[in-house]
Structure formats: structure tokens, C-alpha cells
Amino acid sequence: MIMICRTKQQLREALENKRKQKPGLTTGFVPTMGYLHEGHASLIRRSVAECDLTVLSIFVNPLQFGPNEDFDRYPRDEQRDLALAEASGADIAFLPTVEEMYPTKPLTSITVDVVTDRLCGASRPGHFDGVGVVVSKLFNLVQPQRAYFGMKDAQQVAVIRRMTDDLDMPIKIVPCDIVREPDGLALSSRNVYLSAEERSQALVLSQSLAKAKSIGETAGKTVQGLIDEVSNHIRESQLADIDYVELLAYPNLTPLAPNQLLLETPGELLLAVAVKFGRTRLIDNRILSFSEVTIDV
Ligand code: PAF
């Protein structure tokens, strides 16, 4: 049976008991905002496979939503979430209220510079500061050895890795593969907002990312050339309203020169897109590398 903790005190006691029963046990942590899907389940299962104890948190964190974003209408379904968490093997679920997490407005901020300059860091001001505060608080409460994050939020993974490194938090950040619907759409709690027409047009994201590798392997293709082709492909969907299409060095998320030739760009690159369909903003990405490719002459 999954154990449900709603207060920090309950969570601390539950963890203390488990750790007393089995000294030295390893704790894996899966922080979420709920409305769980198969992507979350895959994080839980990975933690269960790698750790003695798996803690899941479900908390829609107001600090990481902008004033015109979807905090109020963010989907919530506690009973379904708990059933899925239990079926995936989680041992403890922590479901605090906003008042429990933030009895007073935090005066402490966590800002990870540089990695947040682009992508969602640029288009959602303050978002990653809110993520930094809540993830730090959750890490302090759960004290896991390992924490599992989905690569759909590749920038979030980079931010949290940098935060844990900079602040000497003894936690291994484990990035996990994006989980997709059979037709390619990346799983997201926000997919539920999409109308049938938006849902079908949103396939353009995974389709354009899938094409990017072969486009980039074309001789003479530059960074900007790839961004333009991917953007044009996305624009073929009438309902798509592009927020960004960016290609950055991975994992540092530093910009590349627009005229840089892809076949001469070493290492891994992150091609990331954020696109609105109606009121729903979706993100997706793919890690690419081009430099090992040999050109037949
Ligand atoms: O990825 C999310 O769901 C959230 O940003 C997180 C990490 C749970 C923090 O609120």
C-alpha cells in the first residue's frame, strides 16, 4: 500500500521510520505536479528498480507559474494519480497543500544563471526560480540519493543539475527518456487541454524533430538553416503558434553561431521547440549530434 503524507511532519516521520527499519536504504525521488501519465510512471518504475524506497511528490507549485499561465486550471486528479503511483511501485506519496509548502511567502530565491538565458527561461520569466525553490525544499524534505526527471523538460534537467552541483547537494540527478504516444506526441499533463483538431496538428512537433537529424546531415546545412526548416515545417500546421525553435549546445545550453556548419559542430546539440496550439503551450525536444557523420564525396 502506498503511504500518503500531506504534511512535512508526516513525511519526515515516515522517512525516519523507514530509515530506522533498514539503515542505509537508498531513496529515489520523483517530483511531479500530478495528473500523472505513463511518462511519470516510467520515472517511478526506474526509481523502484534502482532504489530501496521511492518517494513521489504531487504539488502544483504556484511559484513557477507566471501571472497569465495555467496555475488555476492545471489538471488535477488525486485519486487517479495515487492509483497509478501505487501500481508503478511508489512507496510514499507526498501531497502538501500550498499553505503547507509555503506557510509564508519565501524570501529566499534560487536563480541559476546562463542555463536559463534561453528557451523556457527566456519565455517564462521567473519560472525556473520557482522550480529551484520548490525542488530545493523537496530535496531537503525527502533527502534522496537519486532524483528522476523527464527529458521533455531538458532545460529543467540542466537547471537542476547545475543547482545541485553549485550547492553541493548530494543527489544524483537521473534524466529519463521522453515517453511518447504511439503517434509520436510527447506525453504531457497539458495534452488534456487540446481539442481533437489541436491534438492532431500538435503531431507536427515530434514529426519536425524526427526530420531534423536528416536535414542537419545535408552538406552545407547551418544552425540557422536547420532552425528555419524546422520552423517552416511547424508553420504548415495552421493552429501552430511558435514560441521558440532553438538549437543549443548540450548540456550547457550555450548558443551556437547561426552560420555554424552542423557537420562541423562537435558534441551533442539540443533542438528544442515550444509551440502554442490555442491556449495550450507544448514543448518537445531532441538531442542530436552531427559531427561524426562522414560525407561521401
Ligand atoms: O517538472 C515538473 O513537474 C515540475 O517542474 C517539478 C519538477 C515537479 C517542480 O514543481
Side-chain angles (χ1 to χ4, degrees), residues 31-33 59 61 64 127 131 134-135 149 153 156 160:
T32 79
M33 298 207 300
F59 178 62
N61 172 35
Q64 68 188 74
H127 168 69
V131 171
V134 81
V135 172
F149 291 88
D153 296 294
Q156 173 167 273
I160 288 166

XYZ file of all heavy atoms in Angstrom, residues 31-33 59 61 64 127 131 134-135 149 153 156 160, ligand 1:
127
model
N 9.727 14.023 -8.249
C 8.864 15.182 -8.014
C 7.949 15.412 -9.204
O 8.391 15.344 -10.358
C 9.858 16.357 -7.881
C 11.123 15.896 -8.513
C 11.086 14.404 -8.658
N 6.653 15.645 -8.948
C 5.713 15.867 -10.054
C 4.698 16.944 -9.661
O 4.599 17.313 -8.494
C 4.899 14.592 -10.414
O 3.830 14.448 -9.457
C 5.729 13.341 -10.434
N 3.952 17.374 -10.660
C 2.823 18.269 -10.386
C 1.506 17.508 -10.566
O 0.442 18.112 -10.705
C 2.877 19.490 -11.302
C 4.143 20.324 -11.064
S 3.984 22.044 -11.472
C 3.582 21.949 -13.202
N 2.570 18.168 -6.328
C 2.347 19.528 -5.830
C 2.397 20.487 -7.007
O 3.414 20.576 -7.700
C 3.440 19.893 -4.804
C 3.317 21.298 -4.283
C 2.186 21.690 -3.577
C 4.322 22.226 -4.506
C 2.056 23.000 -3.103
C 4.205 23.526 -4.041
C 3.073 23.911 -3.334
N 3.008 23.773 -8.092
C 3.793 24.809 -7.416
C 3.475 26.205 -7.974
O 3.929 26.544 -9.070
C 5.273 24.468 -7.635
C 6.207 25.555 -7.151
O 5.934 26.199 -6.161
N 7.315 25.741 -7.874
N 6.115 28.662 -9.795
C 6.725 28.509 -11.119
C 5.781 28.868 -12.266
O 6.114 28.658 -13.418
C 7.289 27.092 -11.281
C 6.263 25.988 -11.354
C 6.911 24.609 -11.325
O 7.384 24.141 -10.287
N 6.961 23.934 -12.459
N 10.111 31.430 -14.053
C 9.684 30.021 -13.968
C 10.728 29.157 -13.256
O 10.421 28.449 -12.294
C 9.402 29.486 -15.373
C 9.238 28.002 -15.449
N 8.150 27.346 -14.910
C 10.041 27.025 -15.974
C 8.285 26.042 -15.109
N 9.413 25.824 -15.751
N 10.907 26.846 -9.811
C 11.272 25.422 -9.814
C 12.429 25.205 -8.824
O 12.430 24.251 -8.034
C 11.673 24.951 -11.234
C 12.266 23.544 -11.208
C 10.474 24.998 -12.185
N 11.159 25.227 -5.144
C 10.353 24.068 -4.720
C 11.184 22.786 -4.739
O 11.073 21.952 -3.829
C 9.050 23.930 -5.554
C 9.274 23.262 -6.893
C 8.005 23.158 -4.770
N 12.035 22.638 -5.746
C 12.832 21.405 -5.814
C 13.843 21.370 -4.654
O 14.058 20.324 -4.040
C 13.501 21.242 -7.200
C 14.480 20.083 -7.207
C 12.437 21.018 -8.274
N 13.990 12.824 -13.380
C 13.325 13.893 -14.128
C 13.218 13.486 -15.590
O 14.146 12.890 -16.151
C 14.137 15.193 -14.046
C 14.153 15.808 -12.673
C 15.102 15.443 -11.742
C 13.198 16.747 -12.306
C 15.119 15.998 -10.462
C 13.193 17.318 -11.037
C 14.160 16.938 -10.122
N 11.479 18.077 -20.311
C 11.905 19.380 -19.783
C 13.431 19.368 -19.698
O 14.001 19.378 -18.600
C 11.286 19.612 -18.407
C 9.774 19.689 -18.475
O 9.259 20.634 -19.077
O 9.114 18.766 -17.953
N 14.963 22.037 -17.672
C 14.774 21.833 -16.228
C 15.845 20.886 -15.684
O 16.395 21.109 -14.614
C 13.376 21.275 -15.974
C 13.122 20.876 -14.539
C 11.655 20.620 -14.255
O 10.924 21.545 -13.939
N 11.219 19.390 -14.348
N 18.479 21.931 -12.792
C 18.546 21.232 -11.501
C 19.914 20.586 -11.307
O 20.464 20.583 -10.215
C 17.375 20.242 -11.381
C 16.113 21.085 -11.165
C 17.554 19.270 -10.227
C 14.833 20.392 -11.344
O 8.509 19.035 -13.901
C 7.636 19.313 -13.060
O 6.577 18.691 -12.998
C 7.881 20.435 -12.070
O 8.573 21.479 -12.651
C 8.582 19.984 -10.770
C 9.977 19.451 -11.034
C 7.743 18.892 -10.099
C 8.711 21.151 -9.799
O 7.467 21.688 -9.475
